[in-house]
Amino acid sequence: MTSRQRLLGAIRGDRVDRVPVAPFGMGRVPLESSLGRALIAETDPFIDAGGAGDPFLGADVPATSTIEGDTTVTVIHTPKGDLTRRFRKTALTAAQTEFLLKTLDDVEKFLSLPYTPPAIDLMRFHQLRADVGEEGLVLLGIPNAICLPATLFSPQDLCLAWADAPDLVRRLCAVASERLLDYTQRLLDGGVDAFRIIGGEYASVQLGPQAFRKLVTPFDTELVALMHSRGAVAYYHNHGQVMEYLDLLADLGVDALDPLEAPPWGDVDLRAAMARIGDRVCLVGNLDDMEIIDRLPEADVCAIARERLEAAGSHHFILGGTASGTCGEHGARNFIAMARMVRAG
């Protein structure tokens, strides 16, 4: 089997010749380097194509930007008043330091903006599909509906908004979902056949199960159904402690779920997770990129990988990392070593 066939087979629950060993992206290893080509050739990588545009804000938003030292200040001019965002970039890092929405009244300002569907750019996706061919599975990244309120509000203000005005937060998600479904339809029309959905952790990590049922379940279920209507893969990304959410995640209808972080970084007991939802969802990951794959000696990494394989079995499982895309050369060599171990039986 080719890597693409192996990954798709595992995702669909078909019989495969061996469990795929799948780094998520190339990390810090250049695709065209000798190690990068070896990583592609010997493992079964998921290749991240990034996104294709912002489905939420739309095109032609009236805004002005200024630079204040190391901070970019963006003011969006809405019919009901201005909204301000600050983004600071230093030599070490970059982060948003002021979010567009600070109060509940700001929601009405945002919703008063006229919306024009954005242009989509699928050049990178199709170029990667051509370059990678059968040696991996290229995924286009896409946010889910909760990403709109979760990125407009600060983390603290999102929690407060959910506590104080849950209907308003759900209204934002409903607007986001409407825009997202149209955007996704255009991506499908453009030939996208595999998606990686992000955003569920905004509910599972920050807000709790009730919020997941209200802000994620109805919208993501519809999003996944749209993808499936065209035969596309719906691969779901959800960091954090997820054992409590396994059935909610499986009920979305997704094909695959990552990263299933093991203790102490998460709470996933792989054997228990497989028993609960392994018949419905392909489980991906359960090895930490930074603390295990990119740090420990090869023998130790392969020993831990064997434990994961024994816990998961060979059906509906893909051995991978935490989908962080941060691995360096040491991590890449350990991924290759795990793939060789699996091939050797």
Side-chain angles (χ1 to χ4, degrees):
M1 302 181 79
T2 67
S3 286
R4 179 179 168 85
Q5 290 170 338
R6 190 173 298 114
L7 289 166
L8 289 174
I11 287 170
R12 292 166 178 157
D14 298 335
R15 186 179 182 87
V16 294
D17 57 348
R18 62 178 183 269
V19 173
V21 176
F24 189 86
M26 302 298 294
R28 303 189 304 277
V29 178
L31 181 64
E32 294 305 322
S33 67
S34 58
L35 181 58
R37 297 314 304 175
L39 185 65
I40 291 284
E42 298 219 38
T43 67
D44 308 299
F46 290 110
I47 302 298
D48 180 17
D54 181 351
F56 299 137
L57 198 55
D60 304 321
V61 174
T64 55
S65 291
T66 56
I67 305 295
E68 298 177 356
D70 58 6
T71 300
T72 300
V73 182
T74 301
V75 180
I76 295 179
H77 310 290
T78 85
K80 295 188 176 182
D82 289 348
L83 297 170
T84 301
R85 173 174 56 206
R86 283 179 165 82
F87 189 87
R88 186 182 178 199
K89 185 174 183 179
T90 71
L92 296 177
T93 190
Q96 193 170 180
T97 57
E98 180 179 342
F99 290 76
L100 278 178
L101 304 188
K102 270 78 77 176
T103 70
L104 297 179
D105 289 340
D106 287 341
V107 174
E108 297 300 335
K109 292 180 183 179
F110 177 82
L111 292 175
S112 73
L113 279 168
Y115 178 76
T116 302
I120 59 173
D121 182 1
L122 292 175
M123 182 180 297
R124 176 171 169 76
F125 175 81
H126 289 300
Q127 186 63 57
L128 284 171
R129 278 291 308 273
D131 291 345
V132 173
E134 289 292 310
E135 294 187 295
L137 181 62
V138 179
L139 300 170
L140 187 81
I142 191 170
N144 65 358
I146 197 176
C147 286
L148 179 61
T151 54
L152 294 180
F153 282 113
S154 71
Q156 175 177 291
D157 286 339
L158 173 66
C159 296
L160 292 173
W162 172 245
D164 295 338
D167 289 343
L168 195 60
V169 179
R170 195 176 189 284
R171 182 181 166 200
L172 273 173
C173 288
V175 169
S177 179
E178 180 181 354
R179 296 176 182 181
L180 184 59
L181 290 172
D182 175 73
Y183 172 77
T184 303
Q185 184 64 64
R186 293 164 61 209
L187 296 176
L188 290 164
D189 291 343
V192 177
D193 59 359
F195 294 87
R196 183 184 189 234
I197 306 167
I198 65 168
E201 62 206 56
Y202 285 122
S204 65
V205 173
Q206 291 180 230
L207 303 180
Q210 182 179 354
F212 196 99
R213 292 186 180 93
K214 296 289 187 181
L215 305 179
V216 175
T217 298
F219 305 116
D220 284 11
T221 302
E222 191 173 5
L223 178 63
V224 169
L226 174 60
M227 293 173 181
H228 285 168
S229 73
R230 298 285 290 272
V233 169
Y235 174 115
Y236 206 83
H237 175 71
N238 202 110
H239 274 297
Q241 299 193 3
V242 297
M243 290 299 287
E244 182 180 3
Y245 294 88
L246 286 180
D247 292 292
L248 288 172
L249 288 161
D251 287 345
L252 299 175
V254 297
D255 300 301
L257 172 67
D258 82 16
L260 300 162
E261 292 144 309
W265 308 282
D267 68 342
V268 173
D269 178 321
L270 186 57
R271 195 180 302 273
M274 287 297 298
R276 280 177 57 184
I277 66 168
D279 60 332
R280 293 188 284 163
V281 182
C282 178
L283 303 186
V284 183
N286 206 232
L287 285 174
D288 189 272
D289 285 352
M290 292 172 282
E291 300 300 326
I292 293 178
I293 300 173
D294 208 30
R295 177 173 294 187
L296 299 184
E298 177 184 311
D300 293 349
V301 171
C302 286
I304 296 169
R306 287 191 195 96
E307 294 175 0
R308 301 297 195 263
L309 291 165
E310 290 171 4
S314 59
H315 177 75
H316 244 183
F317 178 63
I318 297 172
L319 182 65
T322 43
S324 64
T326 59
C327 280
E329 292 186 2
H330 182 74
R333 292 190 175 93
N334 275 333
F335 267 114
I336 291 170
M338 287 188 286
R340 290 175 176 171
M341 178 193 75
V342 171
R343 283 199 297 274

